[in-house]
Amino acid sequence: MTPAAALCFARARPTPPAEVIDTSGLPDDVALALAQALPFLRCGEESAVHAFGRRLMRSADPAEQLTLANITADEQRHANWLAALAAVLPAPRGGLDSESAARFFRGLLTRDKALHFARIAALDLAVCALLHPLVGRRSVLAGAPQVVDGLRSIRRDEARHVRVARRCAQRLGWSASAQQTLDRTMRDELSALLAPVRGSLLRLGMVGFSVAADA
């Protein structure tokens, strides 16, 4: 399998695993809808690799550095898996522009370390909410259990990352009330970013997500 190029961050170089993900059980329209939405998830994982692995490690105390290193490994594994998934899905037809996604995720970077951790927590919480309908018993992806299992693993990891990022932000002075406000703002900004693929999200059951649910 040819490694997929990074979408948003030049230093993120996902290397898909050797195995091929089985998507044969997906209806054609569902496979295309997933392909349309996938650039968002891939850019998000590349962003997280960049953030946890390079920008935030210096802000962590010694007890947190190992945790952040483990999160970086999680995010790289997610990026690899999503690249492998993209390789076996149909080519997207328009939809979400990777440049727009890149600008959005790069815009999350800031020298304010507390704010950066808080933004990561808000983003990962929203991703958990987006993935929720894809990993349930009634998921439209149920015909491809390998896909569901992979997305379920990503969602489980992201929920843990939310808790870690929140804790780091609070240690740096970020308040719980400010985090709640940022969570809502992130949800609104993501809704705007994903507007071009709203039809695909609807087909996948991913419209109307709420970040109010517990991570």
Side-chain angles (χ1 to χ4, degrees):
M1 183 184 299
T2 302
L7 291 182
C8 298
F9 289 80
R11 292 180 180 177
R13 301 184 184 279
T15 303
E19 68 270 21
V20 176
I21 298 171
D22 182 10
T23 60
S24 60
L26 295 179
D28 290 346
D29 63 329
V30 171
L32 179 59
L34 185 58
Q36 299 283 85
L38 204 60
F40 165 77
L41 294 174
R42 291 184 63 195
C43 284
E45 296 302 334
E46 291 174 13
S47 171
V49 170
H50 182 76
F52 281 111
R54 299 177 185 276
R55 298 180 64 89
L56 295 180
M57 190 69 73
R58 294 187 297 272
S59 300
D61 61 33
E64 290 171 336
Q65 287 182 354
L66 178 59
T67 298
L68 295 185
N70 289 336
I71 289 177
T72 301
D74 287 344
E75 303 292 9
Q76 185 64 66
R77 187 178 68 256
H78 298 168
N80 293 347
W81 188 86
L82 291 170
L85 179 59
V88 294
L89 288 173
R93 300 173 184 171
L96 183 65
D97 176 26
S98 60
E99 277 301 314
S100 297
R103 285 193 297 272
F104 173 82
F105 286 108
R106 289 170 182 158
L108 299 180
L109 303 178
T110 173
R111 293 184 182 278
D112 183 333
K113 299 300 191 297
L115 176 58
H116 199 172
F117 275 118
R119 285 175 174 172
I120 288 174
L123 175 63
D124 285 355
L125 181 61
V127 169
C128 286
L130 277 168
L131 290 177
H132 179 71
L134 297 183
V135 301
R137 294 180 180 179
R138 297 183 180 181
S139 169
V140 296
L141 307 181
Q146 190 178 2
V147 175
V148 174
D149 288 346
L151 293 175
R152 184 177 290 130
S153 177
I154 289 175
R155 187 181 187 276
R156 183 171 56 248
D157 288 344
E158 296 300 344
R160 176 166 46 82
H161 300 170
V162 170
R163 294 189 290 272
V164 172
R166 282 177 175 172
R167 184 174 68 243
C168 291
Q170 289 171 2
R171 180 179 60 80
L172 293 168
W174 196 259
S175 71
S177 60
Q179 185 66 58
Q180 291 175 352
T181 299
L182 184 57
D183 290 346
R184 290 190 294 270
T185 299
M186 184 67 68
R187 177 197 59 201
D188 293 341
E189 291 177 351
L190 287 178
S191 293
L193 175 68
L194 292 168
V197 293
R198 192 166 300 280
S200 295
L201 298 181
L202 179 61
R203 181 66 184 93
L204 296 170
M206 296 168 71
V207 171
F209 73 94
S210 170
V211 297
D214 291 338

